[in-house]
């Protein structure tokens, strides 16, 4: 493409959520106090994201650990937004920042907010969650499992990433039973359906 075909320099970066996700808010309970409920939600959203063609099979939520209040829900919006960094975690953390009116979700000022995601964060999202101020991460599928099944690349995630989070005051929990199984089932469906959304680097 020649430079003459480019639009003028943009003056803002806006990423709206798709209509189906806007509508989905109505069905999300105000509180999700248990991990089982939280993983049921993100797994359902990830599947819907594929059906709707708005991004990869990844979804997340930010929940207040003490009250169970849901601050935000989000999905991978790379295809919807044409922005490569719009992974589920970046979208969902951003929406939580918007809702709270703060760049700090509160790890150092007494708020305990957890990022729930159906797969292990990629190298970019690992950074995003570190800077967000969340106090915990709950995830289901391993990065290596996602890579093996989907062919996505999660990037150069350090082998000791869990220890690195814990060292910074962020608890890490991997949902071993239903959460991971459901997540993996979605990925298998996706691969078998032949509709795998592919984009640079891919990842959650
Ligand atoms: Zn990511």
């Amino acid at each position: 493409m020649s430079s003459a075909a480019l639009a003028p320099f943009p003056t803002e970066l806006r990423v709206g959520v798709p209509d189906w996700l806007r509508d989905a808010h109505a069905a999300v309970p105000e509180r999700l106090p248990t991990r089982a409920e939280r993983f049921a939600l993100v797994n359902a959203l990830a599947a819907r994201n594929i059906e709707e063609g708005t991004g990869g099979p990844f979804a997340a939520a930010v929940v207040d650990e003490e009250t169970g209040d849901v601050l935000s829900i989000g999905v991978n919006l790379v295809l919807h937004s044409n922005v490569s960094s719009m992974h589920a975690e970046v979208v969902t953390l951003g929406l939580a920042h918007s809702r709270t009116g703060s760049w700090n979700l509160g790890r150092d000022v007494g708020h305990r907010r957890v990022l729930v995601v159906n797969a292990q964060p990629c190298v970019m999202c690992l950074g995003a969650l570190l800077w967000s101020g969340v106090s915990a991460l709950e995830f289901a599928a391993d990065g290596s499992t996602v890579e093996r099944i989907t062919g996505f690349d999660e990037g150069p995630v350090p082998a000791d990433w869990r220890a690195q989070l814990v060292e910074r005051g962020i608890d890490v929990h991997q949902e071993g039973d239903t959460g991971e199984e459901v997540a993996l089932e979605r990925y298998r469906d996706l691969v078998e359906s032949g509709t795998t959304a592919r984009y640079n680097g891919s990842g959650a």
Side-chain angles (χ1 to χ4, degrees):
M1 186 187 293
S2 73
S3 59
L6 286 173
F9 283 118
T11 55
E12 62 180 354
L13 175 61
R14 295 184 63 181
V15 177
V17 304
D19 288 344
W20 72 261
L21 185 57
R22 193 184 297 259
D23 294 344
H25 282 136
V28 175
E30 278 183 33
R31 293 187 178 83
L32 291 174
T34 70
R35 283 178 175 145
E37 292 170 293
R38 301 199 277 263
F39 279 105
L41 173 68
V42 296
N43 284 327
L45 290 172
R48 183 79 188 274
N49 202 34
I50 290 300
E51 289 166 21
E52 299 286 348
T54 34
F58 304 104
V62 174
V63 177
D64 187 299
E65 272 196 302
E66 280 149 11
T67 64
D69 287 343
V70 182
L71 269 74
S72 63
I73 60 172
V75 294
N76 177 301
L77 290 177
V78 171
L79 298 178
H80 175 73
S81 65
N82 284 322
V83 178
S84 60
S85 58
M86 289 299 112
H87 288 191
E89 298 94 320
V90 171
V91 168
T92 308
L93 290 168
L95 293 171
H97 288 306
S98 291
R99 190 165 185 197
T100 59
S102 173
W103 51 265
N104 182 359
L105 292 176
R107 182 166 73 247
D108 56 351
V109 290
H111 290 295
R112 291 194 57 85
R113 271 91 179 232
V114 57
L115 174 67
V116 186
V117 58
N118 65 323
Q120 180 187 321
C122 75
V123 65
M124 172 183 70
C125 293
L126 195 58
L129 84 90
L130 271 169
W131 313 142
S132 71
V134 293
S135 58
L137 166 70
E138 296 174 351
F139 72 102
D142 271 323
S144 59
T145 307
V146 175
E147 286 183 332
R148 192 177 72 246
I149 295 176
T150 65
F152 286 156
D153 179 5
E154 300 302 313
V157 175
D160 65 342
W161 69 274
R162 293 190 200 206
Q164 291 280 345
L165 293 190
V166 171
E167 197 174 295
R168 290 164 173 81
I170 302 170
D171 295 336
V172 180
H173 169 81
Q174 181 171 15
E175 188 76 354
D177 303 328
T178 54
E180 182 174 16
E181 278 311 303
V182 174
L184 294 181
E185 205 175 295
R186 299 294 182 213
Y187 298 135
R188 289 195 188 97
D189 289 349
L190 173 72
V191 171
E192 284 165 11
S193 72
T195 58
T196 313
R198 301 305 295 268
Y199 33 82
N200 296 337
S202 298

